[in-house]
Amino acid sequence: GVAGEIMGNESLMAKKAHGTCMSAVQRDLRWGCDFNTADRICCFNRHYAEHSGYWESTKFLKEESAASGELTFYDSVTGKPLFVA
């Protein structure tokens, strides 16, 4: 699958300036995502992610629908586009 094609080595998780990231996640995240939760998941996480259903507590379902068309998802630290869905 796709995940097997994008896997990296352990150096990706090496200690950096901010956990395993060069800096913290951006403060103004889309859909009202919580900064502290995103920062913990992205920069201080080796196992698991947010709790099950967390995304349903964001504004994602209220702000997006099929009518939104293609959505670009961005890296929460760098702001660079990751993928379009």
Side-chain angles (χ1 to χ4, degrees):
V2 173
E5 295 173 23
I6 59 173
M7 289 182 66
N9 61 38
E10 278 296 306
S11 68
L12 292 172
M13 298 302 288
K15 185 162 176 58
K16 298 177 181 69
H18 187 76
T20 57
C21 300
M22 295 309 294
S23 63
V25 299
Q26 298 173 48
R27 288 275 173 185
D28 190 23
L29 298 170
R30 285 169 90 178
W31 305 304
C33 292
D34 179 69
F35 168 82
N36 290 323
T37 300
D39 196 52
R40 178 180 47 79
I41 292 165
C42 295
C43 302
F44 297 95
N45 181 38
R46 294 277 308 186
H47 307 285
Y48 314 113
E50 69 276 5
H51 64 271
S52 175
Y54 167 75
W55 69 277
E56 294 174 304
S57 71
T58 69
K59 297 175 187 171
F60 180 80
L61 291 173
K62 292 178 183 137
E63 295 182 7
E64 307 299 345
S65 69
S68 302
E70 290 185 341
L71 292 175
T72 302
F73 290 82
Y74 298 88
D75 183 282
S76 57
V77 174
T78 66
K80 293 180 180 178
L82 292 174
F83 64 93
V84 177

